[in-house]
Amino acid sequence: MGFVNSPPKARPLKQGAVDCQWPQPHRIRRSSRDEASAEVVELKKSLGEKGVKLEGLEKKIDGLKSEKVDSEKKVRVSERKVGTLEVRELEEKSKSVRVEEEMREKIDDKEREINGFKKKVNVLESELAKWIVEKKSVEGSLKESESKSKEMEAKITELEKEIDEVKT
């Protein structure tokens, strides 16, 4: 049996295995203790720097989160404004479509009215043509009557002359 604090017996090592013997106080050198102390100091300094960097990054993260919240609020406000504008645009389009339809109806009504007036004008023109023909006929009859009247007056005058001659 061995002593309690004695190192284990050395066994042959497999390839790539590490020798796990307990450290021997006589093996530890003073320089390696100084190196270890220097390394600890360096690691503490590095840890402090990294802690400062971490705090800075955490602040940046907090700032970015608040910026994200602000941006999301702005996006929602913008989306509401866009929605409002889209509604207004739709209202304007429907209003212009309504006005356009009303104008088309008015134009159609006026065109029907114009067509009615054109028909009336055609009817009146045909009646006028009939009246003109009738007027010419009446004028011809009037001229004929006037000429017959003049002939009759001439005959009456001639007959009166004959009567006066016969009386004298």
Side-chain angles (χ1 to χ4, degrees):
M1 288 201 177
F3 295 100
V4 175
N5 285 332
S6 65
K9 291 185 180 181
R11 293 187 205 164
L13 294 176
K14 293 182 180 177
Q15 188 177 7
V18 178
D19 185 9
C20 295
Q21 292 183 357
W22 290 341
Q24 299 294 319
H26 63 280
R27 289 188 169 185
I28 298 176
R29 296 184 198 149
R30 185 125 177 99
S31 64
S32 64
R33 282 186 198 159
D34 291 342
E35 286 177 10
S37 295
E39 190 176 341
V40 166
V41 168
E42 189 177 316
L43 288 173
K44 284 182 179 180
K45 180 180 175 184
S46 175
L47 181 63
E49 290 173 358
K50 288 183 180 181
V52 169
K53 283 183 183 179
L54 181 62
E55 288 175 8
L57 290 174
E58 286 174 347
K59 287 180 183 178
K60 280 186 179 180
I61 287 172
D62 290 341
L64 291 173
K65 284 181 181 178
S66 68
E67 285 180 20
K68 181 182 176 186
V69 168
D70 291 343
S71 295
E72 287 173 350
K73 285 180 185 177
K74 288 179 183 179
V75 165
R76 284 192 297 272
V77 167
S78 296
E79 286 173 347
R80 269 188 248 125
K81 287 180 181 179
V82 166
T84 303
L85 290 174
E86 287 174 346
V87 167
R88 284 184 190 163
E89 182 181 4
L90 286 175
E91 288 173 351
E92 289 297 320
K93 282 183 180 179
S94 65
K95 182 179 177 182
S96 67
V97 167
R98 249 189 341 268
V99 167
E100 189 175 315
E101 288 175 357
E102 289 173 2
M103 292 308 293
R104 283 185 186 147
E105 288 176 12
K106 287 180 181 181
I107 288 171
D108 290 343
D109 290 344
K110 292 298 178 183
E111 285 178 351
R112 282 191 289 275
E113 193 176 334
I114 288 171
N115 288 335
F117 288 142
K118 284 181 180 179
K119 287 179 183 176
K120 284 182 182 179
V121 166
N122 288 337
V123 167
L124 291 174
E125 284 178 345
S126 67
E127 285 182 23
L128 179 63
K130 288 178 186 176
W131 288 351
I132 289 174
V133 168
E134 193 175 316
K135 178 185 169 195
K136 286 182 181 179
S137 172
V138 168
E139 285 176 346
S141 297
L142 180 64
K143 284 183 182 178
E144 194 177 305
S145 293
E146 286 176 353
S147 74
K148 283 185 181 180
S149 170
K150 285 181 184 178
E151 283 178 19
M152 290 290 258
E153 284 178 12
K155 278 188 178 182
I156 290 175
T157 314
E158 198 177 301
L159 286 174
E160 283 177 350
K161 282 184 186 178
E162 282 180 18
I163 292 176
D164 280 340
E165 280 181 15
V166 169
K167 281 186 184 178
T168 36

